[in-house]
Amino acid sequence: MMIRFYLLDVSYEVRGREPVILLWGLNEKSEPILLIDKSFRPYFYILPEEDVDAEKLIPLIKALSKPSSPILEVKVVDRKYYGRPVKALKVTTSIPEYVRTYREEAKKVKGVSEVLEADIRFSMRYLIDKDISPSTWLEVEAVESEGSQRFRVRKIYEVKGEFKNAGIDLPPPLKVMAFDIEAYNPRGSPIPEKDPVIIVSLADNSGDLEILTAGEGPKGDLDLIPQFTERVRAKDPDIIVGYNSNGFDWPYLVKRAELLGIKLDVGRSADGLPRTSVYGHISIPGRLNVDLYDFAKEIYEVKVKSLEEVAEYLGVMKKSERVLIPWFEIYKYWDDKAKRETLLKYARDDVISTLGLADKFIPFAIQLSSLTGLPLDQVGAASVGFRLEWFLIRAARKFKELVPNRVERPYSTYKGAIVLQPVKGIHENIAVLDFSSMYPSLMIKYNIGPDTFVDGECSEEECYVIPGLNYRFRKEPPGFYKNVLTTLLSLRKKVKEELRKYKPDSPQYRLLNERQKALKVLANASYGYMGWTGARWYFKEGAEAVTALGRETIQKAIEIAKELGLRVIYGDTDSLFVSNDRDKIEQFIEKVRDELGLEIKVDKVYTRVFFTEAKKRYVGLTLDGRIDIVGFEAVRGDWTDIAKDVQEKVAQALLTSGKPEDAIEYVRRVIKDLRMGRIPLEKLVIWKKLTKKLEEYDVSAPHVEAAKKLVELGVKVVPGTEVGYVITKGSGSISSRAVPFIIAKPEDIDTEYYVKHQILPAALRILSYFGITEKQLEAAGKAQKTLVDFLTSKKQKSK
């Protein structure tokens, strides 16, 4: 029979001496099903040395065979390696784990140059070879298999044919459950060996919400964890979401269950225990465990990636409308029966926020999953480089390209993109023009890739020559990168055309919009991937060539703009700021397309924009009234929210009214409010990341001293921990007066430190260009005369 299903995840198990692929999916009624395939076998490739006949290596490789996982076949196959045709040996065995064993032994065989693709996971190998992806609808010939008590699915089928796309775009109704735990923490950070889980909050997209609580005492979660397990299995979600659940919730639950002798059986198989898998994510058989924190980390606009901050930024839940409790006081709210209800509301708001974030992130994640072939629970945990790499590996299979091994390399730098010196001052009516996918387009245009690189002489008829570098790339045939990127950009163009057929509030529009964003992310990652030392297809010369071409492209675009009479204010990487003359801009776009072969479009228009003399530093007021701040302290991670607020308001005052005196009065009010204790404590927190272990710091910086005080509170700090601290009153050094904000009291704050080192510097980074001084901003009465005062008074007298 023909089975149509939506693929969620893939795994495998070994039965006897045979591997069995497990395809977890949903049928057309959204019921969980399992498809098994017993026919697939693990393999890898051997590349002989150049002067060695591949056929003569066959008996030497077969001699490595072991009874526990015999080598089933060794055959010569035609492949390409970096675009060069090669004869390779394809070695097939029985048990996936033995691929690594044979890899090491094959390396020692005389005449073997390289062993390739031995590190591609067996389940991913299956998806690649079958050309199927998770998060897609598929059809396959299959027969119903005998039911097994080991699997909690509607039906089990055995695959008998080849897969094909089912032609359905929208995913089925997916059951999503959000969860969040609270642990008892009288010693600061909770310790699973001592501290029980006290609350598990659950919410799902059917509208159900439940708060489970523990009993009293150090083993109060003895009944709570089984309740959680029972609820998950009863609700049977396809996707379980949490926030930092891979880093905290799941590991904590797993440890508590182990200590209490409880089986945390939450999967769709009888041994469905959560296990740490690739990229550090927690894998649950038959379900997709998605840690939404992985996606939140990519929102660079949000400095502190706490659940409440991200939820507010994405419009899920305002901080002012939810219960907030300092994490280190959770145990107090649990112990005090009068406060426990507040704690339960806090847990409720956490899980509602988590479910709301799922609605924001999951559609994009689904599209990334279907494009890269990574299951939904892995695609967020994987870096952008790894996501692109899996896409490249899938493409390599289609082009019969062998996948290079990952090699450890030292960090290496190269000359980057062009950044022009800006025209200092305030400019009105400025358009920002962005090249569409400039770097991927240049890689396509000049056929850049490791397989097209010519290390030697090559005529200009046969090769592209990169200006300034003298690197040469063959014009024909199309290289691996060119083929892949052409596919990506072509797909994105088709998706964007399809978008126009639907209304923005339709499910189809949302799906297509998320897909074009996913395609854009993958395409734009290609240039950076070449220069990433951890990449399989690492190619520094390619990255250098692309940036050189980018610099040349911007320079040519500037010349075209000037010829048309457009004033160029600034340029950075792949964008230009020019005077907003609509007719001339339209001509400019046409000439860039005709002469440079690239697409450029108007990205935004500033009614006013202010530049200092420094590169990558400006503030702009958009047509819809938003303020863009680039390169000033307000977007740096080690400045406070009050500094950010001041800078934004100063910029807004300048660009909206054009009156620096309005900005001056605003800064004075903020300083007065700070000295009067009217600024909330959270606005004064400085965040700084630990880059190494505390004992490895030679100099006691403020965040290091604050981190030491956190350790005294029982908080675990490691490299990568974001330390939030405030500066308190006293006579010692700044470092000695740095206190973790969680234990700070408003009355202890050193307000003068914040005036001198946060508010004034943040404001003056903009206002100093108008002749404003520190003394003037702090003055309570009339300020010392400046250029602004002189011009203002002169204008009034002339009236």
Side-chain angles (χ1 to χ4, degrees):
M1 71 180 82
M2 187 64 72
I3 303 298
R4 180 178 288 182
F5 71 105
Y6 185 82
L7 180 59
L8 294 173
D9 199 4
V10 61
S11 57
Y12 78 93
E13 61 183 20
V14 177
R15 298 179 185 175
R17 291 189 179 182
E18 291 188 339
V20 178
I21 289 288
L22 306 177
L23 298 162
W24 303 92
L26 302 175
N27 64 18
E28 291 177 281
K29 296 180 181 178
S30 288
E31 298 168 330
I33 61 171
L34 177 66
L35 289 87
I36 62 175
D37 193 338
K38 300 176 181 178
S39 65
F40 195 65
R41 294 293 176 268
Y43 66 88
F44 60 96
Y45 292 102
I46 290 174
L47 199 62
E49 292 178 351
E50 278 201 32
D51 57 347
V52 173
D53 184 351
E55 293 283 355
K56 292 181 179 179
L57 283 177
I58 293 176
L60 299 177
I61 301 302
K62 285 185 174 179
L64 302 175
S65 186
K66 303 176 188 302
S68 48
S69 178
I71 291 178
L72 303 174
E73 184 182 45
V74 182
K75 67 176 182 178
V76 179
V77 294
D78 291 316
R79 293 291 184 270
K80 287 184 287 185
Y81 193 43
Y82 288 106
R84 178 173 59 90
V86 294
K87 297 286 185 182
L89 294 178
K90 182 180 179 182
V91 183
T92 305
T93 185
S94 299
I95 310 299
E97 284 71 19
Y98 274 79
V99 167
R100 290 187 290 273
T101 302
Y102 285 130
R103 172 186 63 189
E104 297 307 311
E105 295 188 6
K107 285 179 182 178
K108 301 171 186 175
V109 174
K110 188 176 181 181
V112 170
S113 172
E114 287 189 77
V115 179
L116 301 170
E117 302 196 17
D119 59 348
I120 295 177
R121 301 192 307 277
F122 182 58
S123 56
M124 292 298 290
R125 174 88 273 170
Y126 181 86
L127 295 179
I128 293 165
D129 283 25
K130 298 293 183 181
D131 194 23
I132 59 176
S133 291
S135 304
T136 55
W137 283 99
L138 302 166
E139 286 182 350
V140 70
E141 187 70 31
V143 295
E144 192 168 340
S145 181
E146 289 296 319
S148 171
Q149 298 303 313
R150 293 179 50 244
F151 301 110
R152 303 182 185 108
V153 294
R154 181 70 173 173
K155 285 187 178 180
I156 301 174
Y157 302 91
E158 186 171 348
V159 173
K160 292 298 181 183
E162 294 301 316
F163 295 91
K164 64 178 183 178
N165 191 292
I168 302 174
D169 293 327
L170 293 173
L174 295 164
K175 291 187 286 185
V176 181
M177 172 184 277
F179 85 107
D180 185 70
I181 73 167
E182 306 299 339
Y184 195 62
N185 62 341
R187 288 168 286 272
S189 294
I191 303 168
E193 290 81 3
K194 297 180 180 180
D195 303 318
V197 177
I198 52 177
I199 299 173
V200 177
S201 45
L202 303 168
D204 61 52
N205 59 352
S206 72
D208 288 346
L209 173 68
E210 189 172 12
I211 310 295
L212 307 177
T213 57
E216 303 301 326
K219 292 188 177 180
D221 50 354
L222 190 59
D223 292 327
L224 173 61
I225 294 175
Q227 284 183 58
F228 167 65
T229 300
E230 184 274 326
R231 295 300 196 280
V232 172
R233 285 166 55 175
K235 283 289 184 180
D236 196 23
D238 306 308
I239 303 173
I240 300 178
V241 297
Y243 196 83
N244 194 29
S245 50
N246 286 334
F248 176 71
D249 302 69
W250 282 119
Y252 205 95
L253 283 169
V254 168
K255 189 64 177 178
R256 288 299 299 170
E258 179 186 312
L259 292 168
L260 297 170
I262 298 168
K263 191 175 182 183
L264 192 62
D265 186 4
V266 292
R268 281 177 170 160
S269 67
D271 58 347
L273 305 178
R275 295 183 180 89
T276 302
S277 187
V278 292
Y279 311 121
H281 91 284
I282 302 295
S283 179
I284 299 172
R287 306 191 200 283
L288 297 166
N289 168 52
V290 179
D291 188 344
L292 302 171
Y293 179 61
D294 290 328
F295 295 97
K297 285 188 292 188
E298 297 177 14
I299 306 175
Y300 73 91
E301 296 92 343
V302 181
K303 183 170 62 177
V304 180
K305 304 297 194 298
S306 64
L307 174 60
E308 58 267 22
E309 292 287 348
V310 175
E312 179 169 70
Y313 178 78
L314 293 177
V316 171
M317 182 180 289
K318 293 181 180 178
K319 287 193 293 182
S320 60
E321 296 175 355
R322 61 153 297 160
V323 174
L324 293 171
I325 294 175
W327 64 267
F328 56 91
E329 291 188 356
I330 284 173
Y331 77 98
K332 294 181 181 179
Y333 282 76
W334 178 256
D335 288 340
D336 188 340
K337 297 295 191 296
K339 290 184 175 180
R340 189 173 288 188
E341 187 61 32
T342 301
L343 179 60
L344 296 179
K345 290 178 181 177
Y346 167 80
R348 174 205 63 194
D349 290 344
D350 269 3
V351 79
I352 291 173
S353 294
T354 303
L355 186 63
L357 290 183
D359 188 55
K360 302 290 185 181
F361 291 133
I362 294 296
F364 175 69
I366 285 174
Q367 295 307 315
L368 267 184
S369 172
S370 68
L371 287 168
T372 62
L374 279 167
L376 197 67
D377 57 347
Q378 297 177 30
V379 77
S383 67
V384 173
F386 282 125
R387 294 171 193 168
L388 176 63
E389 190 161 88
W390 281 111
F391 185 88
L392 293 174
I393 290 171
R394 295 175 74 86
R397 163 77 181 176
K398 295 175 183 176
F399 295 126
K400 291 192 174 183
E401 278 276 351
L402 292 172
V403 177
N405 290 321
R406 183 167 287 110
V407 178
E408 287 192 19
R409 305 176 182 90
Y411 178 72
S412 179
T413 60
Y414 52 89
K415 190 176 180 181
I418 192 171
V419 183
L420 301 179
Q421 197 74 28
V423 178
K424 180 182 171 182
I426 292 180
H427 307 276
E428 297 196 358
N429 196 22
I430 299 297
V432 182
L433 293 160
D434 276 2
F435 281 94
S436 301
S437 303
M438 183 170 81
Y439 283 173
S441 297
L442 289 171
M443 290 172 69
I444 292 170
K445 183 178 178 180
Y446 293 93
N447 203 20
I448 291 173
D451 53 336
T452 59
F453 182 63
V454 177
D455 189 11
E457 291 302 315
C458 181
S459 68
E460 292 193 14
E461 288 74 27
E462 294 180 311
C463 286
Y464 295 110
V465 181
I466 307 304
L469 296 173
N470 209 30
Y471 290 161
R472 287 169 161 78
F473 296 91
R474 285 195 312 272
K475 294 181 178 180
E476 294 293 339
F480 177 55
Y481 271 115
K482 179 172 182 175
N483 283 324
V484 171
L485 289 172
T486 300
T487 300
L488 275 172
L489 296 185
S490 175
L491 278 173
R492 185 168 183 240
K493 186 176 181 181
K494 288 178 182 176
V495 170
K496 292 182 80 173
E497 288 171 357
E498 192 71 13
L499 260 177
R500 300 190 186 102
K501 300 177 183 178
Y502 300 99
K503 294 181 179 178
D505 59 350
S506 68
Q508 292 86 354
Y509 185 95
R510 187 180 185 189
L511 180 145
L512 291 167
N513 192 42
E514 297 297 343
R515 191 166 187 82
Q516 70 88 12
K517 286 193 288 186
L519 286 162
K520 180 181 179 180
V521 166
L522 291 175
N524 288 343
S526 56
Y527 145 74
Y529 175 82
M530 282 195 301
W532 173 40
T533 54
R536 291 179 187 270
W537 281 277
Y538 173 70
F539 184 45
K540 182 183 177 182
E541 292 87 351
E544 289 176 324
V546 172
T547 53
L549 289 167
R551 294 191 295 271
E552 182 189 52
T553 299
I554 288 290
Q555 292 289 6
K556 287 181 177 178
I558 291 171
E559 291 171 12
I560 293 171
K562 289 179 177 178
E563 287 172 7
L564 292 170
L566 284 171
R567 188 181 181 214
V568 179
I569 305 299
Y570 179 60
D572 184 358
T573 309
D574 60 354
S575 62
L576 288 175
F577 291 59
V578 302
S579 49
N580 186 28
D581 184 319
R582 185 175 297 179
D583 292 337
K584 290 180 180 178
I585 284 177
E586 286 180 2
Q587 293 176 49
F588 173 75
I589 290 171
E590 288 180 15
K591 286 182 76 69
V592 166
R593 185 189 303 119
D594 295 340
E595 295 180 22
L596 304 183
L598 295 171
E599 297 291 329
I600 194 168
K601 62 178 177 22
V602 176
D603 179 55
K604 65 178 73 173
V605 173
Y606 289 121
T607 56
R608 287 195 183 96
V609 61
F610 166 65
F611 283 97
T612 71
E613 79 290 347
K615 299 176 180 180
K616 292 182 178 288
R617 185 173 293 168
Y618 61 89
V619 291
L621 177 67
T622 62
L623 290 173
D624 58 2
R626 289 182 296 106
I627 293 288
D628 283 344
I629 296 185
V630 176
F632 288 93
E633 286 79 0
V635 295
R636 274 175 34 187
D638 57 345
W639 283 71
T640 59
D641 280 353
I642 191 64
K644 179 179 178 180
D645 291 347
V646 164
Q647 203 163 69
E648 286 181 351
K649 294 295 185 183
V650 164
Q652 192 168 32
L654 281 171
L655 296 179
T656 304
S657 69
K659 299 177 181 178
E661 54 267 32
D662 289 351
I664 295 170
E665 286 306 313
Y666 164 74
V667 175
R668 288 177 178 172
R669 286 198 305 272
V670 172
I671 292 173
K672 182 178 180 180
D673 285 344
L674 178 63
R675 287 171 172 161
M676 296 292 291
R678 293 196 286 254
I679 302 294
L681 185 65
E682 57 266 26
K683 291 282 187 182
L684 307 178
V685 179
I686 303 167
W687 291 92
K688 193 83 172 178
K689 182 182 289 187
L690 292 173
T691 57
K692 50 190 174 182
K693 295 178 181 178
L694 287 179
E695 58 270 22
E696 294 176 357
Y697 281 94
D698 296 325
V699 179
S700 287
H703 71 295
V704 175
E705 289 302 311
K708 290 177 181 177
K709 291 168 186 172
L710 284 173
V711 172
E712 293 172 7
L713 292 170
V715 178
K716 183 180 179 182
V717 296
V718 295
T721 298
E722 291 275 0
V723 179
Y725 65 93
V726 294
I727 304 301
T728 56
K729 297 172 185 173
S731 57
S733 65
I734 296 296
S735 293
S736 68
R737 294 188 281 121
V739 174
F741 83 96
I742 60 175
I743 59 171
K745 297 177 181 177
E747 60 268 23
D748 294 334
I749 294 298
D750 183 351
T751 55
E752 295 312 301
Y753 167 83
Y754 286 92
V755 171
K756 294 287 186 184
H757 298 281
Q758 293 283 334
I759 293 175
L760 292 177
L764 287 170
R765 290 304 289 158
I766 297 175
L767 290 175
S768 62
Y769 293 97
F770 297 87
I772 309 300
T773 65
E774 180 177 318
K775 186 175 180 181
Q776 184 183 6
L777 288 177
E778 277 200 279
K782 187 173 175 61
Q784 182 179 334
K785 289 284 184 181
T786 68
L787 175 62
V788 172
D789 295 319
F790 175 75
L791 293 174
T792 303
S793 61
K794 189 175 181 180
K795 187 186 294 185
Q796 290 172 342
K797 286 177 182 177
S798 66
K799 291 179 181 179

